[in-house]
Amino acid sequence: NISRNMGWLKRFFATINWPIWAAFFCFVFGLALIFQVHGAGDGTWTMYAKLFLSGKKLYCDLHFIQQPLYVLLTAYSLLIFGHSWLASKILAVLTLSLFVFFMWFISQFSNLSLPKRAVLILFFFFTGIHFIAFRFDDYHGLSFMLILADIVLLLKFRYNELLQFRLAVLIGIVTG
């Protein structure tokens, strides 16, 4: 009798697009991380970007020891969006958006059922950000997002013979 009454619940849960909801949950959780976690080094990338925009050289003047990609992206976002606290989070939200989108897109290549894809998205997201120093407003989020973009391009490369050369060039740009 109980199983007969629960049929509507089974039908309801069968109609939900679980991967979309899992990706949405990951996005909301990532937004909470971006706007609520303030580390001791908050503003370091902005400081480097401001000094770079003022004419300082990254390696000889600032003694910067990493690849310049995140400093350059931060500098361009300062030029485009301004210097406010909220504007400084736009690059992080964009990184988070692409991170979650690429996870969802990769899950679409799976033959798993929708609930299992949702678990895969949640597992990958929370495993990816488990590192204590992981932040989306840092190079960690950007590098993981670029890895996911590379995986998406490799999956597209496998299924699209007409665009293989263009995809190979894009993969070289993303990984370079």
Side-chain angles (χ1 to χ4, degrees):
N1 195 10
I2 292 176
S3 64
R4 189 174 45 165
N5 292 338
M6 298 301 283
W8 68 271
L9 191 60
K10 287 181 183 179
R11 287 189 303 276
F12 172 74
F13 282 117
T15 61
I16 295 176
N17 192 341
W18 291 103
I20 294 286
W21 283 104
F24 178 73
F25 178 76
C26 293
F27 180 75
V28 170
F29 189 85
L31 283 177
L33 288 177
I34 290 169
F35 290 110
Q36 295 298 325
V37 176
H38 306 289
D42 237 10
T44 304
W45 295 110
T46 306
M47 178 196 69
Y48 276 124
K50 285 181 180 179
L51 290 171
F52 174 73
L53 289 173
S54 71
K56 302 279 186 196
K57 294 183 176 117
L58 287 177
Y59 297 112
C60 66
D61 293 337
L62 301 177
H63 305 289
F64 191 71
I65 58 170
Q66 296 177 338
Q67 294 293 327
L69 178 62
Y70 201 79
V71 174
L72 295 174
L73 286 175
T74 305
Y76 290 131
S77 72
L78 287 175
L79 288 174
I80 294 170
F81 303 117
H83 296 267
S84 70
W85 176 82
L86 191 58
S88 71
K89 301 301 181 189
I90 292 174
L91 185 60
V93 171
L94 180 63
T95 301
L96 168 67
S97 302
L98 291 172
F99 187 87
V100 170
F101 172 75
F102 289 144
M103 281 190 318
W104 171 82
F105 194 79
I106 290 168
S107 76
Q108 299 306 304
F109 284 93
S110 172
N111 292 331
L112 296 172
S113 65
L114 291 179
K116 289 179 183 176
R117 285 187 210 169
V119 170
L120 183 69
I121 290 170
L122 291 168
F123 175 78
F124 189 72
F125 180 80
F126 286 105
T127 302
I129 68 167
H130 82 283
F131 177 53
I132 195 163
F134 187 91
R135 297 180 60 155
F136 286 102
D137 56 353
D138 197 0
Y139 66 92
H140 294 105
L142 179 70
S143 61
F144 278 1
M145 187 269 300
L146 290 174
I147 289 168
L148 291 174
D150 218 16
I151 292 170
V152 166
L153 290 173
L154 286 170
L155 287 169
K156 296 295 276 180
F157 184 83
R158 178 178 174 204
Y159 293 109
N160 195 337
E161 293 180 9
L162 297 174
L163 296 176
Q164 282 186 350
F165 178 73
R166 291 181 185 156
L167 290 172
V169 170
L170 278 174
I171 290 169
I173 290 170
V174 168
T175 59

